[in-house]
């Protein structure tokens, strides 16, 4: 088995890394984060001009094409510098391009995919509810009732990243209460954020600060029939394959954070002196760096394997879930160790190590906590359901 990227993918990785170093360096990412109340439109526009919003979208709709491996490479290279701000690209790619590309009608694809590629339409995700958290199904209270020409939606969502600047929310709502199992009777909507009855409020948080996360209130919001995605009541079956893609992208972000952590830590120990010599000569710090390198290698392998399975059209729920857990926990451990290596400078907002830690910490708990992910992995092994 060949674990190396092919020539085309390797070239894309090199070109993307050069673009990131030139157009989205770490110093600029720190500046964007300091202005946390201002959504980084300039970054989004740069991604548009680079053609990145079109990756994963069919060329027939103006996209760049590209499979999950291409998205994996892009996500990783962006996160090496941007950390969690790379999700600025990922949200619309998942909630817009991927979801509509897979399940949209011909009319919906014609309507949404070309402007997504051009950077004219942005999406947010509306799955989680205030009383549910990771228990999306158990906490589901948002209802959509069929009316003439569309649906009336009532309820609330939380942790809708970038909803305050999105044009649409990929919204999960219950459309049928008369079901045997709670995953049945759910539907997906492309809900316009400027519709009457939509309220959006910011959630202050530890990391990914400039991206913005929001509470969304929905009171008698009318959504026309043409903005129902797929068939009513089939949302859960539609989400399962797209969530595999989301987990791969999140794990790839974590691999990028691992790249950034190791890069910065190596640079620091090669320059910093203490007790009359470079601190990179101290064995304990060499061991720390060796640990980070091993964690990065492990994450790299499991994420590439998951992406390969997804592209091959093979069942990969187990592998994508493992990749998300392995990569996110490795990124948190590595960034924490990176802070330890850099001492006070690692804790300082003048460097990136603390930013990597804060952003990776969110990936470890969301969109599904790693504890719940382990439950799902164990159940997939045939063990009794533990939740």
């Amino acid at each position: 088995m060949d674990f190396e990227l092919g020539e085309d993918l390797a070239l894309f990785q090199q070109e993307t890394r050069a673009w990131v170093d030139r157009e989205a360096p770490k110093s600029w990412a720190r500046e964007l984060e300091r202005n946390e109340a201002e959504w980084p439109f300039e970054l989004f526009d740069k991604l548009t001009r680079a053609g990145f919003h079109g990756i994963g979208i069919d060329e027939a709709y103006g996209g760049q094409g590209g499979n999950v491996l291409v998205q994996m490479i892009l996500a990783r290279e962006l996160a090496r510098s941007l950390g969690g701000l790379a999700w600025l690209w990922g949200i619309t790619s998942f909630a817009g391009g991927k979801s509509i590309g897979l399940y949209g009608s011909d009319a919906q694809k014609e309507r949404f995919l070309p402007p997504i590629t051009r950077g004219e339409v942005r999406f947010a995700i509306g799955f989680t509810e205030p009383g549910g958290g990771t228990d999306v199904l158990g906490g589901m209270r948002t209802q959509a009732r069929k009316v003439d020409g569309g649906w009336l939606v009532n309820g609330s969502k939380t942790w809708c990243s970038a909803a305050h600047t999105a044009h649409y929310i990929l919204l999960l709502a219950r459309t049928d209460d008369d079901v045997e199992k709670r995953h049945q009777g759910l539907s997906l909507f492309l809900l316009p954020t400027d519709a009457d009855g939509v309220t959006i409020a910011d959630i202050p948080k530890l990391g990914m600060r400039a991206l913005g996360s929001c509470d969304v209130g929905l009171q008698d919001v009318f959504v026309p029939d043409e903005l129902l995605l797929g068939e009513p009541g089939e949302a859960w079956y539609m989400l399962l394959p797209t969530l595999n893609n989301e987990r791969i992208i999140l794990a790839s972000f974590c691999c990028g954070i691992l790249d950034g952590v190791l890069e910065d830590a190596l640079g620091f120990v090669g320059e910093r002196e203490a007790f009359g010599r470079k601190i990179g000569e101290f064995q304990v710090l060499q061991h720390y760096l060796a640990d980070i390198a091993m964690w990065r290698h492990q994450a790299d392998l499991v994420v590439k394997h998951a992406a390969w399975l997804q592209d091959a059209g093979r069942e990969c729920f187990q592998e994508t879930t493992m990749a998300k857990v392995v990569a996110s926990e490795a990124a948190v451990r590595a960034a924490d160790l990176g802070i330890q290596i850099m001492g006070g400078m690692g804790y300082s907002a003048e460097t990136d190590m603390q930013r990597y830690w804060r952003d990776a910490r969110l990936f470890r708990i969301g969109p599904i906590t790693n504890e719940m992910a382990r439950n799902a992995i164990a159940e997939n092994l045939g063990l009794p359901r533990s939740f």
Side-chain angles (χ1 to χ4, degrees):
M1 182 179 293
D2 187 359
F3 291 96
E4 295 298 321
L5 297 174
E7 184 177 346
D8 289 344
L9 290 177
L11 179 60
F12 174 69
Q13 184 179 45
Q14 293 168 13
E15 292 176 343
T16 304
R17 176 161 293 205
W19 182 91
V20 169
D21 288 340
R22 183 177 65 253
E23 299 292 340
K26 297 174 185 180
S27 58
W28 190 46
R30 293 195 299 272
E31 182 181 339
L32 292 176
E33 191 191 56
R34 279 193 289 270
N35 299 323
E36 61 180 292
E38 299 178 17
W39 199 77
F41 286 100
E42 185 180 353
L43 172 58
F44 190 87
D45 292 342
K46 283 188 175 186
L47 296 169
T48 300
R49 291 192 292 271
F52 292 152
H53 297 309
I55 289 179
I57 294 178
D58 194 283
E59 294 178 13
Y61 299 101
Q64 304 289 330
N67 55 18
V68 177
L69 280 167
V70 175
Q71 293 177 304
M72 175 199 75
I73 292 169
L74 176 60
R76 180 170 182 169
E77 292 303 323
L78 291 175
R80 180 180 64 90
S81 175
L82 295 170
L85 282 175
W87 194 223
L88 185 89
W89 160 78
I91 298 171
T92 295
S93 176
F94 164 73
K98 186 69 175 182
S99 298
I100 296 171
L102 279 177
Y103 300 112
S105 65
D106 290 342
Q108 288 172 336
K109 291 177 183 178
E110 290 285 354
R111 175 177 174 178
F112 289 106
L113 295 183
I116 287 174
T117 297
R118 297 192 298 267
E120 297 168 358
V121 175
R122 297 180 297 277
F123 279 77
I125 303 169
F127 296 168
T128 303
E129 303 211 356
T134 296
D135 186 11
V136 172
L137 294 176
M140 182 65 60
R141 300 292 181 270
T142 298
Q143 299 270 346
R145 178 172 58 87
K146 189 70 180 78
V147 295
D148 187 30
W151 305 76
L152 273 185
V153 183
N154 285 278
S156 59
K157 298 292 181 179
T158 191
W159 294 111
C160 299
S161 296
H164 61 312
T165 61
H167 300 94
Y168 294 89
I169 298 173
L170 180 66
L171 187 89
L172 183 66
R174 181 162 295 284
T175 51
D176 187 359
D177 289 315
D178 187 19
V179 293
E180 292 183 5
K181 299 181 179 180
R182 62 182 188 175
H183 68 268
Q184 299 170 330
L186 300 174
S187 302
L188 282 170
F189 297 90
L190 307 173
L191 184 137
T193 56
D194 62 357
D196 291 340
V198 178
T199 57
I200 299 175
D202 182 60
I203 302 173
K205 59 187 186 302
L206 179 67
M208 300 172 69
R209 293 175 178 173
L211 184 65
S213 294
C214 306
D215 286 321
V216 177
L218 306 161
Q219 184 172 1
D220 288 334
V221 180
F222 177 75
V223 181
D225 283 328
E226 61 264 26
L227 294 182
L228 171 71
L229 187 65
E231 296 297 323
E234 298 298 313
W236 197 248
Y237 306 103
M238 294 159 56
L239 282 175
L240 292 179
T242 56
L243 288 175
N244 283 335
N245 180 260
E246 183 192 28
R247 283 188 285 268
I248 291 169
I249 297 304
L250 289 177
S252 301
F253 288 149
C254 292
C255 285
I257 288 174
L258 282 158
D259 290 337
V261 166
L262 187 57
E263 183 178 70
D264 287 3
L266 284 170
F268 186 81
V269 301
E271 296 176 359
R272 183 78 168 191
E273 293 187 2
F275 306 104
R277 54 180 173 159
K278 294 286 196 307
I279 64 172
E281 298 178 32
F282 300 154
Q283 187 183 63
V284 65
L285 297 187
Q286 291 179 357
H287 286 186
Y288 288 171
L289 289 161
D291 284 341
I292 294 172
M294 288 188 289
W295 297 334
R296 183 180 69 160
H297 186 60
Q298 292 161 2
D300 173 70
L301 291 176
V302 296
V303 174
K304 282 180 179 174
H305 181 232
W308 176 79
L309 288 172
Q310 176 85 340
D311 277 336
R314 295 169 60 174
E315 173 58 42
C316 58
F317 167 81
Q318 188 85 328
E319 289 79 7
T320 60
T321 306
M322 289 178 175
K324 187 267 183 187
V325 172
V326 169
S328 63
E329 294 187 355
V332 172
R333 290 197 308 269
D336 187 73
L337 211 50
I339 292 173
Q340 195 69 21
I341 290 169
M342 295 178 69
M345 290 305 297
Y347 199 69
S348 168
E350 296 177 5
T351 63
D352 296 288
M353 203 62 76
Q354 47 78 36
R355 179 169 62 90
Y356 289 136
W357 184 88
R358 288 186 285 107
D359 290 354
R361 196 65 185 81
L362 183 57
F363 289 138
R364 192 178 185 276
I365 61 173
I368 176 175
T369 66
N370 283 3
E371 289 73 21
M372 288 298 294
R374 283 182 166 86
N375 287 344
I377 292 167
E379 185 179 4
N380 213 42
L381 293 173
L383 296 171
R385 186 180 177 90
S386 60
F387 58 95

